Amino acid sequence: MVKENTILRSLYAAADAGYRDFNSGLVPTVVADKFIGVRTPVLRAMARDMAKSGVCVDFVAELPHKYFEENQLHAFIISEIHDFDSAVRAVDKFLGYIDNWATCDQMSPKIFAKNADKLLLYIEKWLRSKHVYAVRFAVLCLMRYYMDVGFDKKYADMVLNINSDEYYINMMRAWYFATAAAKHFDVVYPYFERLDLWTRARAIQKAIESYRVLPEHKLKLKKLRGK
């Protein structure tokens, strides 16, 4: 508890009231009084220092956290873990406590990229979760680590087959297919035709706004949108 209080004092010392108000507007699933107002670069630096010194052990064990910045700090500490098994266990434990898109999306353990084969088992588990941000994080991992050299239609199938009415899940599905359109258009175009209408519309919009999608591919997507 002493370390927890010390961490909170450090967070409050770095608070910016203007940024707190701005940031709270970007993360509507977290109530305004759960924001302290610490900028992301400051939180990342704190996480690196805590990971190196080892003072993060008690902090990451204390769940749930109260403040948005504590959750951000937790996500950034996990991102600094260099052992795959430790990192994936920490993610697996933390996912059920995530309550917003920012903490979900900014958690990015570097070690995952080198262990895509082992990570896939966890992705399959998270996709079956009833927790919104576990599913969102699973799709994000499929986009981060299986989109380039290791791309396979089976991963697109996994994203297509998610059946959810949750906004933050379907927005991530849209982001996944928009990204895939930039890299594997001929393969994934039929998936746009099969997506539910809400997700399809947003995936097409994201693809059209992307500078990485070819003009002729954007035109084809615009025609699909008009059907």
Side-chain angles (χ1 to χ4, degrees), residues 13 19 51-52 61 70 75 85 105 110-111 118 125 129 141 155 159-160 164 173 178 182 188 193 202 211:
Y19 181 72
K52 288 178 182 177
E70 290 180 291
D85 291 331
D105 295 5
K110 302 177 184 67
I111 195 65
K118 293 193 288 185
K125 172 187 174 182
S129 175
C141 285
Y155 304 132
V159 179
L160 178 70
S164 175
R173 293 172 70 224
V188 301
E193 296 178 305
R202 281 143 188 86
Y211 68 89

Side-chain angles (χ1 to χ4, degrees), residues 18-37:
Y19 181 72
R20 178 195 62 209
D21 297 341
F22 167 77
N23 206 27
S24 66
L26 300 178
V27 189
T29 58
V30 181
V31 296
D33 62 3
K34 299 297 183 182
F35 287 84
I36 296 173

Side-chain angles (χ1 to χ4, degrees), residues 141-184:
C141 285
L142 288 171
M143 186 172 72
R144 281 176 175 161
Y145 309 118
Y146 305 85
M147 186 63 77
D148 295 316
V149 177
F151 180 77
D152 191 290
K153 286 176 63 177
K154 66 182 180 183
Y155 304 132
D157 287 335
M158 292 164 70
V159 179
L160 178 70
N161 292 331
I162 295 170
N163 183 15
S164 175
D165 294 327
E166 292 287 351
Y167 174 87
Y168 286 102
I169 291 176
N170 287 326
M171 282 301 293
M172 181 55 70
R173 293 172 70 224
W175 186 8
Y176 175 91
F177 281 107
T179 302
K183 296 173 178 286
H184 311 283

Side-chain angles (χ1 to χ4, degrees), residues 39-153:
R39 295 178 181 273
T40 297
V42 175
L43 291 169
R44 290 189 185 277
M46 286 181 64
R48 286 193 295 269
D49 291 343
M50 290 172 67
K52 288 178 182 177
S53 66
V55 299
C56 62
V57 175
D58 291 341
F59 173 75
V60 297
E62 293 291 333
L63 287 168
H65 300 302
K66 180 178 180 180
Y67 294 103
F68 169 79
E69 283 82 2
E70 290 180 291
N71 280 325
Q72 290 288 88
L73 191 57
H74 195 131
F76 295 147
I77 289 169
I78 290 175
S79 299
E80 295 295 320
I81 299 175
H82 300 300
D83 174 72
F84 173 79
D85 291 331
S86 299
V88 80
R89 283 197 301 269
V91 168
D92 195 45
K93 178 182 177 182
F94 185 46
L95 280 175
Y97 296 94
I98 294 177
D99 59 1
N100 68 89
W101 67 266
T103 302
C104 175
D105 295 5
Q106 291 181 314
M107 181 167 60
S108 181
K110 302 177 184 67
I111 195 65
F112 281 7
K114 298 179 180 179
N115 293 271
D117 53 340
K118 293 193 288 185
L119 179 62
L120 192 59
L121 293 175
Y122 286 88
I123 289 174
E124 291 169 346
K125 172 187 174 182
W126 298 331
L127 286 173
R128 296 190 298 269
S129 175
K130 296 184 183 300
H131 195 280
V132 171
Y133 296 102
V135 179
R136 182 180 171 97
F137 186 75
V139 178
L140 181 60
C141 285
L142 288 171
M143 186 172 72
R144 281 176 175 161
Y145 309 118
Y146 305 85
M147 186 63 77
D148 295 316
V149 177
F151 180 77
D152 191 290
K153 286 176 63 177

